[in-house]
Amino acid sequence: MERPAWAPPGIDISVPSVSRMYDFYLGGSHNFEVDRDAARKAMEFMPGLPKIMQANRAFMRRAVRHAVDNGISQFLDIGSGIPTFGNVHEVAQTASPDARVVYVDHDPVAVAHSRAVLEGNAGAAVVAADLRKPREILRSPEVTGLLDLERPVALLLVAVLHFIEDEDEPQRAAAELVDALAPGSLVILTHASYEGIPLPEDQAGGAVGVYRNIRNPLVMRSREEIARFFDGCELVEPGLVSMPGWRPDSPAEEEDPYAFSGFAGVGRKA
């Protein structure tokens, strides 16, 4: 298997990565054949996966604009993946040129490509770290050097918590991050769920099985379980809803049925 020039040395390009699969769903080019194979297998069970990812990105952009409109100019995006058009720093810095963004991911390809994209951008940086170790994130030179945690920050946990199994305590990790933020900060979150998927649960479960087989379990949680990640925050209207239902730019009924899979919400820390 030939290693592309953009692939960092030392990574195993024979093992699928969820961030590179996500890049493939979005039509990106920073993925390997092994990622495409795994994504196609998941799509055999759930053909609307690209529509779900597109809805996820569209929600993220609307939520970032909402944060800027409410005076927030600092963004901490954990599980950021591989930057594509319309990523957080582009949306935030277009709306507010002084906005500062720190991306966090544990995938070496995502980190390397982020560094290349952000070269020369003094208001953005990337950290190689894992959501399950929030202290390492908060103490990283990139976070301490670029963000002022004494002022409100928008914390993005977009399409990442569902890759953290219960035994790894995702709610503890999220709570530790929120605790470190100033009052008035926002938590921007999406999460996969069987609720809203226009398929029988056993069929959707086939796609979940693909992720389990590549050792990146996808944990489908209920709306009630997802709501707990907002503990300590007040949900911004319209609350925890489907992705197209959160302050849409166009009528939600025009969206593909798959776009309504899972939940999205924004919470404000008191």
Side-chain angles (χ1 to χ4, degrees), residues 62-77 151-157 177-178 181-189 229-230 232-237 246-247 265-270:
R62 296 195 303 275
V64 168
R65 289 197 299 268
H66 170 80
V68 173
D69 288 345
N70 283 270
I72 292 180
S73 60
Q74 304 187 104
F75 297 83
L76 178 58
D77 183 1
R151 295 173 46 238
V153 172
L155 169 66
L156 287 90
L157 298 171
L177 289 164
V178 173
L181 303 180
S185 293
L186 296 180
V187 177
I188 297 170
L189 184 153
F229 290 116
F230 289 102
C233 298
E234 178 185 357
L235 279 166
V236 172
E237 289 293 334
W246 199 90
R247 304 192 178 200
V266 176
R268 181 181 293 106
K269 182 176 177 180

Side-chain angles (χ1 to χ4, degrees), residues 174-245:
E176 194 167 326
L177 289 164
V178 173
D179 285 348
L181 303 180
S185 293
L186 296 180
V187 177
I188 297 170
L189 184 153
T190 64
H191 198 295
S193 176
Y194 284 119
E195 297 176 44
I197 296 178
L199 289 173
E201 186 172 318
D202 59 345
Q203 183 177 340
V208 174
V210 171
Y211 282 90
R212 184 168 54 249
N213 290 341
I214 64 170
R215 299 182 182 179
N216 282 282
L218 177 58
V219 183
M220 308 292 265
R221 295 187 171 98
S222 68
R223 185 182 185 280
E224 181 180 353
E225 290 172 319
I226 296 166
R228 293 180 192 140
F229 290 116
F230 289 102
D231 285 355
C233 298
E234 178 185 357
L235 279 166
V236 172
E237 289 293 334
L240 186 59
V241 296
S242 64
M243 291 178 287

